[in-house]
Every structure is written in structure tokens, then in C-alpha cells.
Amino acid sequence: MKAIQVIEEILCKVFKWHRFPVSLKVEAVLLYIKELSLRAVREFLLHKGYEVSIETIREWFHAVGRALQAVYTIAIWVYVDETKIKARDRTYYLWLAVDERGLPVFVHLSRRRDA
């Protein structure tokens, strides 16, 4: 079963007995996730002919978040390495954090080890 089918199935179960269509709720939640304000999402739904309160959109967002969190637990492994570097008679400490694929996530250079 593909991930999209699983998500749609979960959302249909979460929003089973509600009066608005699931596709409308998903669209509203996605707009909110894409950093539109609750008021902007409400205005969008008003233009589509649905009168929904801001609190309802927020509840949809939290319901979808809980449902997706139950199915997909994101685990990212990060490896951290510390290296001592001497340059011009000074000691520096370099910390490098990489993810599972070896891509750098964070780099920090400091004069002190406890920084």
C-alpha cells in the first residue's frame, strides 16, 4: 500500500462523522501547513462556499497531526564528531554533525572545548 493511500485512509477514519468533506479538510490543513494564517485559510474556504471557524481549522490541523504521528514516527540519526585543529599556534575545536546520508547538518568552530 502506498503512503498516500495510507494517509487518505487514516484521514477518512479521523474525519468519519463530520459534516465537511475530507478533501476540503485536507486542503485547509495543507494551506495552513504552507504558512497561511488561519484567517487566510478561513477566507479561502468562504470563497469555496464553506463557512468554517478558525478554531475548527485549528482542530483539523491537530487531528491530522496526531493521526500522522501515530503512523509515521520520524527518526533521524545524527552523528557528531569533534576534531582538534591547530592553526598559527592556536587550538580550535571543530564539531561536525552529519545525518544518515553523510550530509552536514551542523558545523561549529570554537576556541574552547566547552563552547
Side-chain angles (χ1 to χ4, degrees), residues 10 19-20 37 58 66 70 74 80 83 92-93 112 115:
I10 290 169
R19 65 181 181 153
F20 296 108
S37 68
R58 191 188 64 76
R66 283 191 304 273
I74 299 172
V80 179
T83 304
Y92 296 95
Y93 295 93
R112 299 182 329 179

Side-chain angles (χ1 to χ4, degrees), residues 26-67:
V26 171
E27 191 174 6
V29 168
L30 288 176
L31 287 173
Y32 183 61
I33 288 172
K34 291 184 178 187
E35 299 184 4
L36 253 62
S37 68
L38 288 171
R39 294 184 194 286
V41 174
R42 182 177 182 267
E43 290 295 320
F44 173 78
L45 295 177
L46 276 174
H47 287 291
K48 287 188 113 180
Y50 295 99
E51 188 172 343
V52 180
S53 71
I54 293 172
E55 184 63 24
T56 303
I57 299 167
R58 191 188 64 76
E59 288 174 4
W60 292 347
F61 172 73
H62 288 294
V64 169
R66 283 191 304 273

